[in-house]
Amino acid sequence: MTDQSAVDIEQIRDYSRAFNADRANLVAANAAVSTGVLAAATDYQGLRALPRDFSVELKQGSITNQERSGRCWMFASLNTLRYELMHRWNLEDFEFSETYLFFWDAIEKSNTYLEHVLETLDEPTDSRIFEVINDGPSDDGGWWQMFAALVNKYGLVPKSAYPESANSRDSDSFKQYLNTKLREFAADLRRRHEAGEALDALREAKREDMATVYRICAIALGEPPAAFDFLARVKDDDDDKDGESDKAGKAEQSKQESGMDERRQIRETGITPMEFYRKYVPVDVNDFVTISNAPMKRTPFNTRYRIRYTANVIEAGDMEFVNVPLDVFKKAAVDQLRAGHPIWFACDCMQFALRGEGVFDRDTVRVDQLFGTEFTFDKADGLEYGDRPSNHAMTLTGVNLDDNGKPNRWKIENSWGKDNGKDGYYVASDAWFDQFVTEIIIRKDMLDEATLKLAQAEPVELDPWQPLTRPCR
């Protein structure tokens, strides 16, 4: 008797005969097997339809590189802030220390994990909520609000004050053993609870556990600075602003003759990370709202959501999002770029993407033509079925507007180094933006009154497994 649930051998023969009878299949197979799916699916007409010029474009600093780590959300956040700092202080280039926040994020995530363990001591280890808590206690991923929580608590430092290390560039081994140790601590706390120890005793044990966490982080990354010296040189661009072009020309000639860099200096000695943030960063990380576009029935628009168990800094609270329709979402993005401010955003960077060419576009990555089948998921079904959750954060630094003021392509600053994309920058079609961009961080003064009011509304709580968003890496 034939098992109706099994793949039938005769069916396989039929499939093979049909496959080989179609010349297009053979051509596609030759291309895909030889060059890979994405190369075989690349449409040159699609590439040509996405030029690299933009009617609205922000001038950014050097391209950054997160290397083999899941720190994209930090890089995108710091790239957003460094633009503001560079233009406020007229600097040619600048980079914050990503490793500084990476250190404190590991500390805070470890503390939050152990706090969540204490909150769920009576939960079975195979319960859904404990499985979420226990899944990668100190993993790299995150969101803008995690970044804001760290900055609010620890401030910021320039990269020169706390440079990269081997374990920030490639974080797998560091985080593997930190996670193992944290889970050992969790098992110990739960065993002590079963043996009848009081919560005060468990908290004292947790305090001792955190000393070990600090030691692991300090050995892997080096201790972060409590204070540092800072020196930056201001660009010469302002020399002619007062109509003193002749004087500026003579000064430049003098500099060339002497060999001295005589540009004006910004200099600080013994400044703390919090002092540096408050003095030199001209924006407040709390003056932003995360708006999302998740058109699922379970997450109606014009609602504020909070996702349980998503904090990194325990006292800062869980991640919150205001879910809005696409037209509101896109207008906020265009308005902020036109006002001269970059935008942190989260997306599914794997969909219809060419990493080497730096393109996000369905009309360029024609896997439908290659495989002879349509890919019909819309944004709602893609989120509902876990096919396109956010997994990467980048920075919008430009947009091209058509004659009617509508966007048709977007300029993206990535954190994968200058050898990916075109000198580190990507271009996304507007249709791709609509389908795969799920979150943007918008300044409060760029939001319409209705959306700003929603940001103050009582949030609807979601469980961490509900498909609204995922940490970006």
Side-chain angles (χ1 to χ4, degrees), residues 401-407:
L401 304 177
D402 64 19
D403 293 340
N404 298 313
K406 301 295 184 182

Side-chain angles (χ1 to χ4, degrees), residues 302-338:
N302 302 317
T303 305
R304 181 185 180 195
Y305 296 97
R306 177 184 295 148
I307 305 179
R308 299 169 65 210
Y309 296 104
T310 53
N312 62 339
V313 178
I314 189 72
E315 67 269 25
D318 292 322
M319 300 302 101
E320 295 182 351
F321 308 83
V322 176
N323 196 26
V324 298
L326 185 61
D327 60 338
V328 176
F329 189 76
K330 288 174 69 173
K331 183 179 184 303
V334 170
D335 287 350
Q336 185 155 313
L337 288 170
R338 292 185 72 172

Side-chain angles (χ1 to χ4, degrees), residues 2-43:
T2 303
D3 184 349
Q4 295 297 314
S5 66
V7 175
D8 183 82
I9 298 302
E10 188 55 43
Q11 283 181 319
I12 295 295
R13 295 192 184 99
D14 291 342
Y15 299 154
S16 178
R17 282 192 290 269
F19 177 85
N20 285 280
D22 189 336
R23 177 177 173 275
N25 290 336
L26 303 180
V27 172
N30 284 337
V33 170
S34 299
T35 66
V37 165
L38 293 180
T42 299
D43 187 317

Side-chain angles (χ1 to χ4, degrees), residues 443-461:
R443 296 164 60 107
K444 290 179 180 178
D445 58 2
M446 293 287 111
L447 288 172
D448 62 88
E449 188 174 333
T451 305
L452 193 57
K453 188 175 180 180
L454 286 171
Q456 307 302 320
E458 188 66 25
V460 174
E461 269 205 328

Side-chain angles (χ1 to χ4, degrees), residues 368-409:
D368 55 337
Q369 293 180 347
L370 180 70
F371 293 125
T373 185
E374 296 295 321
F375 290 84
T376 59
F377 260 169
D378 61 14
K379 195 171 193 176
D381 283 342
L383 290 169
E384 186 71 44
Y385 286 86
D387 186 65
R388 57 180 71 166
S390 56
N391 52 36
H392 189 52
M394 296 177 282
T395 310
L396 292 170
T397 60
V399 61
N400 193 66
L401 304 177
D402 64 19
D403 293 340
N404 298 313
K406 301 295 184 182
N408 53 30
R409 60 183 177 272

Side-chain angles (χ1 to χ4, degrees), residues 411-427:
K411 183 178 181 181
I412 295 170
E413 177 189 9
N414 206 346
S415 56
W416 290 344
K418 64 180 181 179
D419 294 331
N420 287 284
K422 182 174 176 56
D423 299 324
Y425 286 92
Y426 284 57
V427 58

Side-chain angles (χ1 to χ4, degrees), residues 92-105:
E92 185 71 38
D93 203 0
F94 180 82
E95 187 173 353
F96 288 103
S97 170
E98 298 87 5
T99 310
Y100 177 75
L101 292 185
F102 189 52
F103 179 96
W104 293 119
D105 184 60

